[in-house]
Amino acid sequence: MTLYFVMYTVLFQMMSIAEQKTDGTWDRMMLSPVSKMKIFSGLFLYYFLIGLIQVGLSFLIFTQWIGFSFGDQYGLLLLSISLFLISIVALGLMLVSLVKTPQQLQAVIPIVATASAMLGGAFWPLEFVTQPVLLIFSRVIPIRYGIETLSDVIVRGASMSELVLSYGFLIALTVLFGAIGLFFLERKHN
């Protein structure tokens, strides 16, 4: 559920981009002398850090106050969370690029986040899903790979070599969503 809630946090934080698009600030920023690479890198880093802080606090509460153990492979946990968060930031940029108003984004975020959680296995294990179409859709949902990698590291003590495929899917989804988002966000200004 931590991954589900961090999706909400990161995506709703992106409401500021939608507001900037409607009030004209975004257009001025795209035409400013600051390179687009710096603008988009800064946005990625900002939203990534917001998500990382939220997940970090959740894990801290679970380990220190509740006494839950996440194992001892902190590097792989951090890598799994980081790749998931980067894919969510890219998904958010894609969503922001496709909507015209903040109100549209406000309507789209709960639909996308909840559908992602359902299709990705946050509400119930994917082993319970028997519909082939739903299982195909789950392949393009970042939360699926976030849950898989975290559970593999925590429960099974998986090694890096066992996680390469899931990490590859997260990276591929990041590239896909990011490319679509960046294309449409800067399309007007080229």
Side-chain angles (χ1 to χ4, degrees):
M1 293 308 285
T2 298
L3 300 183
Y4 173 57
F5 289 124
V6 80
M7 277 182 74
Y8 267 103
T9 301
V10 170
L11 295 177
F12 271 113
Q13 286 295 315
M14 292 188 165
M15 191 72 63
S16 63
I17 297 174
E19 291 166 356
Q20 290 171 357
K21 282 174 54 181
T22 58
D23 69 14
T25 308
W26 184 259
D27 292 335
R28 288 190 298 275
M29 203 164 49
M30 287 292 106
L31 296 173
S32 73
V34 178
S35 74
K36 290 177 185 175
M37 181 66 175
K38 288 182 181 177
I39 293 171
F40 289 124
S41 298
L43 288 171
F44 250 86
L45 183 62
Y46 173 73
Y47 295 118
F48 169 78
L49 288 175
I50 286 173
L52 193 61
I53 289 168
Q54 180 180 342
V55 173
L57 287 173
S58 298
F59 277 36
L60 188 67
I61 290 168
F62 269 88
T63 57
Q64 299 303 312
W65 291 345
I66 299 175
F68 187 83
S69 172
F70 290 102
D72 59 354
Q73 296 182 324
Y74 298 113
L76 286 178
L77 284 174
L78 182 62
L79 181 60
S80 298
I81 292 165
S82 296
L83 289 175
F84 169 75
L85 286 172
I86 291 169
S87 69
I88 293 305
V89 171
L91 173 65
L93 286 176
M94 182 181 77
L95 293 176
V96 167
S97 74
L98 297 175
V99 299
K100 294 189 186 325
T101 66
Q103 293 78 13
Q104 288 176 343
L105 185 61
Q106 218 167 11
V108 168
I109 289 171
I111 294 167
V112 170
T114 305
S116 294
M118 283 190 225
L119 291 172
F123 294 157
W124 50 76
L126 286 177
E127 292 79 26
F128 293 168
V129 179
T130 57
Q131 274 297 341
V133 173
L134 294 179
L135 290 171
I136 290 170
F137 279 130
S138 76
R139 293 280 176 200
V140 293
I141 306 293
I143 199 168
R144 174 190 178 146
Y145 303 106
I147 291 170
E148 278 181 10
T149 57
L150 286 177
S151 63
D152 285 349
V153 170
I154 294 167
V155 177
R156 292 189 316 105
S159 67
M160 177 69 163
S161 62
E162 295 172 286
L163 302 171
V164 168
L165 187 61
S166 294
Y167 287 163
F169 279 117
L170 280 171
I171 292 168
L173 291 173
T174 300
V175 170
L176 175 68
F177 297 151
I180 293 169
L182 295 177
F183 174 78
F184 285 112
L185 277 175
E186 69 172 333
R187 169 181 67 147
K188 227 168 111 172
H189 306 284
N190 287 337

